Amino acid sequence: MAAKKMAIIATKGALDMAYPPLILASTAAALGWEVQIFFTFYGLQLLRKDLSGIAISPIGNPAMPMPVPMPVVVSMLPGMEAMATSMMKAKMKKKGVASLTELRDLCQEAEVKFIACQMTVDLFEFDKADFIDGIEYGGAATFMKFAGETDVCLFI
Amino acid sequence: MAAKKMAIIATKGALDMAYPPLILASTAAALGWEVQIFFTFYGLQLLRKDLSGIAISPIGNPAMPMPVPMPVVVSMLPGMEAMATSMMKAKMKKKGVASLTELRDLCQEAEVKFIACQMTVDLFEFDKADFIDGIEYGGAATFMKFAGETDVCLFI
Amino acid sequence: MAAKKMAIIATKGALDMAYPPLILASTAAALGWEVQIFFTFYGLQLLRKDLSGIAISPIGNPAMPMPVPMPVVVSMLPGMEAMATSMMKAKMKKKGVASLTELRDLCQEAEVKFIACQMTVDLFEFDKADFIDGIEYGGAATFMKFAGETDVCLFI
């Protein structure tokens, strides 16, 4: 039986939505699937060598479990984004959740193919020197050809 | 002909994005499809017995049709999130749109399988006693095996 | 070999997330795929004749590359949403990225089928006269039947 295939289009760059592509890709790769992730729009932030800038915002997300209930105006104050981010990171560390960098390494060791969207790189003037090694640059058309052969294709 | 299969990964917990997983799942189940929903991240909020806390935020979503145009600073004022939520609920009720609870019941009656992501339950310290009956707890790996056999797999 | 098929459920209406459905649909159509887009929730904004109201919000999105770093409270000031939108549009134009209207025309020329979610049109009281020609109105059940036959189905 041929290996299952999965394609992921990763478009988000905030801390919470940065996890799903990497968790799902590493999980599928561990099951022996062939996986490709196409990083585009804000998803390109996940390819930076330094992921410490990946943050989370409590604003506009009433579903985020917060340690203390917080009116919107308070979540707006200077420093609250940094505070939410560091609280979330501390909670993940305490609970033994792998960091984004660890999950990304896992994916690369399991031969998940990382493709950076060339158009977005040009549009936002990302510096390729800021990105990790071992990634390819490509366009939507090439990626769609792979996507058309997959068992699971997700837009995240 | 074997029944079609659909897998949904439900990651959002705000009022607007709480609807699509439940609408699509109940629609597919009504067509005779086999459906599983994997609730993870903020999507776990949809498994609470009491869904009255599910809210909507007009902030950071310039595409939301509002009854009156509203500058961002106004949408920030205390009480605006509650106001947007109650306006949206009133509109849905007036238009005969089923409530989240009704749609969720429909899904369970139609044997849509609900799976709560164990890792997220642990991470956010959700209390299982707050969740409805009839759900399973599982991990991404088990869910991916089902997803690999589906006709449609959506990340919401 | 039969043509590949793709179904897209377009639920977002902000400038950034308005692009992916149209880019992916026009790309797939150019590859000879049969494509349908189901516009629902805020995604219906993309069917308006006049797309000049499509905006972007820097709020609650810490991953958006901004020309200058900006604390959350500043991104809240009156006029910042309009400023972020016009900066993004100017950058896209300078880089030769097609406008939303151009991409939408491309899709329609390539016979991508546009379906507006009748339930959302009723709920938000959209005026059909504001929408472009050449679209159909339908429900989730009809769309799901097409989705079940596709090679790729994305929720955006």
Side-chain angles (χ1 to χ4, degrees):
Chain A
M1 202 183 69
K4 293 275 174 191
K5 293 180 190 179
M6 179 164 71
I8 293 176
I9 304 171
T11 67
K12 307 294 188 303
L15 182 60
D16 42 4
M17 284 301 122
Y19 269 91
L22 299 177
I23 289 175
L24 293 168
S26 56
T27 302
L31 294 170
W33 296 25
E34 180 187 343
V35 184
Q36 294 192 10
I37 309 180
F38 185 70
F39 296 88
T40 183
F41 288 83
Y42 316 124
L44 282 172
Q45 306 279 14
L46 309 184
L47 292 178
R48 285 180 187 284
K49 283 174 197 156
D50 176 7
L51 291 179
S52 64
I54 302 280
I56 200 172
S57 173
I59 305 169
N61 183 3
M64 187 183 300
M66 295 294 285
V68 282
M70 199 181 285
V72 173
V73 277
V74 172
S75 72
M76 222 98 281
L77 295 176
M80 290 308 287
E81 192 170 289
M83 199 185 97
T85 301
S86 76
M87 284 192 319
M88 180 67 81
K89 285 184 179 174
K91 186 174 255 191
M92 285 177 161
K93 195 167 181 183
K94 190 182 142 207
K95 297 284 182 177
V97 177
S99 71
L100 287 176
T101 309
E102 287 163 343
L103 282 169
R104 192 173 62 179
D105 288 348
L106 261 179
C107 286
Q108 287 199 299
E109 282 160 22
E111 299 189 350
V112 172
K113 194 165 162 181
F114 286 175
I115 302 154
C117 172
Q118 184 68 56
M119 189 193 84
T120 315
V121 170
D122 293 343
L123 176 63
F124 289 132
E125 295 169 349
F126 277 102
D127 185 347
K128 289 184 183 183
D130 290 339
F131 290 151
I132 53 171
D133 293 329
I135 63 182
E136 293 181 19
Y137 293 84
T142 308
F143 186 73
M144 290 307 294
K145 284 179 200 161
F146 173 73
E149 306 297 331
T150 57
D151 299 276
V152 172
C153 180
L154 302 173
F155 183 95
I156 299 183
Chain B
M1 202 183 71
K4 294 275 174 189
K5 293 180 190 179
M6 179 163 71
I8 294 176
I9 303 171
T11 67
K12 306 297 188 303
L15 182 60
D16 41 4
M17 283 301 122
Y19 269 91
L22 299 177
I23 290 175
L24 293 168
S26 55
T27 302
L31 294 170
W33 296 25
E34 180 187 343
V35 184
Q36 294 192 11
I37 310 180
F38 185 71
F39 295 88
T40 183
F41 288 82
Y42 315 125
L44 281 172
Q45 306 279 14
L46 309 185
L47 293 177
R48 286 182 187 282
K49 283 174 196 154
D50 176 6
L51 292 179
S52 63
I54 302 281
I56 201 173
S57 172
I59 305 167
N61 183 3
M64 187 183 301
M66 294 295 284
V68 282
M70 200 180 284
V72 173
V73 276
V74 172
S75 73
M76 222 99 278
L77 295 176
M80 290 307 287
E81 193 170 288
M83 199 186 97
T85 302
S86 76
M87 283 192 321
M88 181 66 82
K89 285 184 180 174
K91 188 174 253 191
M92 285 178 162
K93 195 168 181 184
K94 190 182 141 208
K95 296 285 182 177
V97 177
S99 70
L100 288 176
T101 309
E102 288 163 343
L103 282 170
R104 192 173 64 179
D105 289 349
L106 260 180
C107 286
Q108 287 199 297
E109 283 159 23
E111 299 189 349
V112 171
K113 194 165 163 181
F114 287 174
I115 302 154
C117 172
Q118 183 69 57
M119 189 193 84
T120 316
V121 170
D122 294 342
L123 176 62
F124 289 131
E125 295 169 348
F126 278 102
D127 184 345
K128 289 185 183 182
D130 290 339
F131 289 151
I132 53 171
D133 293 330
I135 61 183
E136 294 181 18
Y137 293 83
T142 309
F143 186 72
M144 290 307 296
K145 284 179 201 162
F146 173 74
E149 306 296 333
T150 57
D151 300 277
V152 172
C153 180
L154 303 173
F155 183 96
I156 299 184
Chain C
M1 201 183 71
K4 293 275 174 189
K5 293 180 189 178
M6 179 163 72
I8 293 176
I9 303 172
T11 67
K12 307 294 188 304
L15 182 60
D16 42 4
M17 284 301 123
Y19 269 92
L22 300 176
I23 289 175
L24 293 169
S26 56
T27 301
L31 294 170
W33 296 25
E34 179 187 345
V35 183
Q36 294 192 11
I37 309 180
F38 185 70
F39 295 88
T40 183
F41 287 84
Y42 315 125
L44 281 172
Q45 306 280 12
L46 309 185
L47 294 178
R48 285 181 187 284
K49 284 174 196 155
D50 176 6
L51 292 179
S52 63
I54 301 281
I56 200 172
S57 173
I59 305 167
N61 184 2
M64 187 183 300
M66 293 295 285
V68 282
M70 200 180 284
V72 173
V73 276
V74 171
S75 73
M76 222 99 281
L77 294 176
M80 290 308 287
E81 193 170 287
M83 199 186 97
T85 302
S86 76
M87 284 192 319
M88 182 66 83
K89 285 184 180 173
K91 188 174 253 190
M92 284 178 163
K93 195 168 181 184
K94 190 182 142 208
K95 296 285 181 177
V97 177
S99 71
L100 287 176
T101 309
E102 287 163 343
L103 283 169
R104 193 173 62 178
D105 288 348
L106 260 179
C107 286
Q108 287 199 298
E109 282 159 24
E111 300 188 349
V112 171
K113 194 165 163 181
F114 286 175
I115 302 155
C117 172
Q118 183 69 56
M119 189 192 83
T120 315
V121 169
D122 293 343
L123 176 62
F124 289 132
E125 295 170 347
F126 277 102
D127 184 347
K128 289 185 182 183
D130 290 339
F131 289 152
I132 53 171
D133 293 329
I135 61 182
E136 293 181 19
Y137 293 83
T142 309
F143 186 72
M144 289 306 295
K145 284 179 200 161
F146 173 74
E149 306 297 333
T150 57
D151 299 276
V152 172
C153 180
L154 302 174
F155 183 95
I156 299 183

